[in-house]
Amino acid sequence: MWTPEQRGRIADITRRTKRYPSDLTDEEWERLAPLMPPANRRGRKRATDFREIINALCYLVRSGCGWEMLPVHFGPWQTVYWWFRRLMRRFLFQTIHGICLMLDREAAGREASPSGSVIDSQGIKAPHAKTRGYDAGKKIVGRKRHIAVDTDGRLLLVRLTTADISDSAGGQMILDAIRKRWPWVKHLFADGTYDRLQLMDKAAFLDFTVEVVRRSDTAKGFEVLPRRWVVEPTFGWRIRWRRLVKDYEQRIDVAEAMIHIAMGSLMLRRNAHPWISKRALSASRYVINPLFNLNYKRQQKHVRFRETNT
């Protein structure tokens, strides 16, 4: 559970925001401002405040409201939506997410570019999607989110497909994307659904080493598997943003942009306010996902021992 000290720190961040807890603080905006597109040299001067546009998008994803239900403090919702589509085509949200990810890894004492990754997928309902499929295994009509995270749970890549696409087929898409965006990744961890001949052949061709972490045949009930478990907190962090509980977007590229906004904002707040301790981050992994509450006390004891001996 959150301690009074941690709750006080989060409350201090909330006081720094302008109106809503999802608004950017001054420290966060200083890191984002250089990434905003410059104004045109010709024509009418731009009257849009990009800080309000980003605040509106964070509010939209965090609260789960519709475009037309955005508060009037952010300006006309048509303006926010127009700039969202334009910034999405410039891959701005993906760029912000990648930069914040590398800064967060360096703040944790690791290399900026990861060398290991964990891949997994999540079926999600998509009631308004133009194209969707049926996942017979999980009985879900919608889309499937194929993701790759580093060994600490930070999101590296996400690819969305219809729910009828198998994990191995989605894993091949992840392999192609990782090789282009994170070329230093060499070792991948996955579960038994990725142990397919075509996927393994492609991994060998792209110079990947895929380690399949299997569940023990003698295990009963829930079992925390090494390396593989770091994906579950990532799913938990994402579900806290209510727009991502279901896939409400019609287009796949818009849905991916919403995920990058959420995860980028999470790491941006962590980088802009480094006094949020690593213990709070470690605890949030277990508090967010109830499956890990059984191991919370043991993990907290390990974290306290590690902090006192470093």
Side-chain angles (χ1 to χ4, degrees):
M1 300 295 292
W2 291 100
T3 64
E5 180 185 5
Q6 295 164 0
R7 291 184 182 276
R9 291 172 176 177
I10 298 300
D12 184 51
I13 294 180
T14 304
R15 286 192 294 268
R16 298 187 188 188
T17 57
K18 299 176 65 175
R19 295 172 302 267
Y20 307 103
S22 59
D23 285 354
L24 298 174
T25 62
D26 294 336
E27 295 86 352
E28 294 168 3
W29 175 243
E30 288 179 0
R31 288 161 171 78
L32 282 187
L35 301 177
M36 296 296 109
N40 295 328
R41 297 182 178 179
R42 300 179 180 179
R44 187 179 62 181
K45 292 184 178 180
R46 186 169 60 199
T48 303
D49 185 3
F50 275 126
R51 183 172 182 175
E52 290 300 316
I53 297 297
I54 302 299
N55 286 338
L57 295 177
C58 292
Y59 179 90
L60 178 81
V61 183
R62 186 64 183 269
S63 65
C65 70
W67 289 101
E68 298 180 0
M69 298 180 65
L70 281 174
V72 296
H73 311 100
F74 301 121
W77 70 268
Q78 296 91 339
T79 303
V80 177
Y81 180 76
W82 187 87
W83 276 109
F84 165 74
R85 294 298 298 269
R86 185 170 183 179
L87 298 178
M88 182 187 66
R89 289 193 294 267
R90 297 171 66 102
F91 300 100
L92 177 64
F93 308 118
Q94 187 175 356
T95 302
I96 293 174
H97 172 266
I99 293 176
C100 293
L101 185 146
M102 290 186 289
L103 292 176
D104 191 50
R105 285 182 58 87
E106 290 181 343
R110 313 194 66 175
E111 294 291 337
S113 182
S115 60
S117 177
V118 186
I119 59 177
D120 203 351
S121 65
Q122 178 192 41
I124 199 76
K125 294 181 180 180
H128 304 294
K130 289 184 178 180
T131 57
R132 54 183 180 172
Y134 178 69
D135 186 356
K138 299 182 179 179
K139 305 297 188 294
I140 291 178
V141 178
R143 288 174 178 159
K144 187 175 289 188
R145 295 169 176 171
H146 305 271
I147 69 170
V149 302
D150 66 358
T151 53
D152 287 337
R154 303 177 187 87
L155 181 68
L156 298 179
L157 281 170
V158 58
R159 289 294 181 269
L160 270 65
T161 62
T162 55
D164 55 345
I165 300 298
S166 64
D167 290 350
S168 60
Q172 297 180 44
M173 300 171 55
I174 292 294
L175 294 181
D176 290 330
I178 287 181
R179 178 54 65 225
K180 296 178 181 178
R181 185 162 181 82
W182 304 102
W184 297 105
V185 174
K186 299 295 182 181
H187 200 96
L188 300 176
F189 299 92
D191 57 16
T193 58
Y194 292 92
D195 190 7
R196 299 294 183 268
L197 180 60
Q198 190 173 5
L199 176 64
M200 293 300 178
D201 289 343
K202 186 165 189 176
F205 177 76
L206 295 176
D207 195 21
F208 284 114
T209 301
V210 180
E211 180 178 346
V212 178
V213 182
R214 299 184 183 276
R215 175 185 170 88
S216 176
D217 296 335
T218 59
K220 295 182 180 180
F222 176 73
E223 179 185 8
V224 178
L225 299 177
R227 296 296 184 182
R228 261 182 55 187
W229 71 271
V230 299
V231 181
E232 304 303 331
T234 306
F235 289 139
W237 293 335
R238 191 182 306 171
I239 295 302
R240 294 187 67 187
W241 298 72
R242 297 186 178 183
R243 184 87 177 190
L244 307 180
V245 173
K246 293 183 180 180
D247 196 338
Y248 293 103
E249 316 303 330
Q250 294 185 3
R251 296 164 53 99
I252 288 181
D253 56 348
V254 174
E256 291 182 357
M258 293 292 179
I259 295 175
H260 284 130
I261 290 175
M263 302 306 292
S265 178
L266 179 67
M267 285 184 288
L268 176 64
R269 180 147 295 183
R270 194 186 304 166
N271 294 326
H273 307 281
W275 36 263
I276 298 180
S277 64
K278 297 180 182 179
R279 179 189 296 182
L281 174 61
S282 179
S284 66
R285 293 179 177 178
Y286 295 88
V287 175
I288 291 171
N289 195 329
L291 293 177
F292 298 99
N293 284 342
L294 297 175
N295 297 326
Y296 174 69
K297 293 183 179 179
R298 179 174 58 84
Q299 184 70 10
Q300 280 294 94
K301 182 178 179 181
H302 173 69
V303 171
R304 288 194 295 268
F305 175 79
R306 185 175 54 188
E307 289 187 352
T308 55
N309 291 273
T310 55

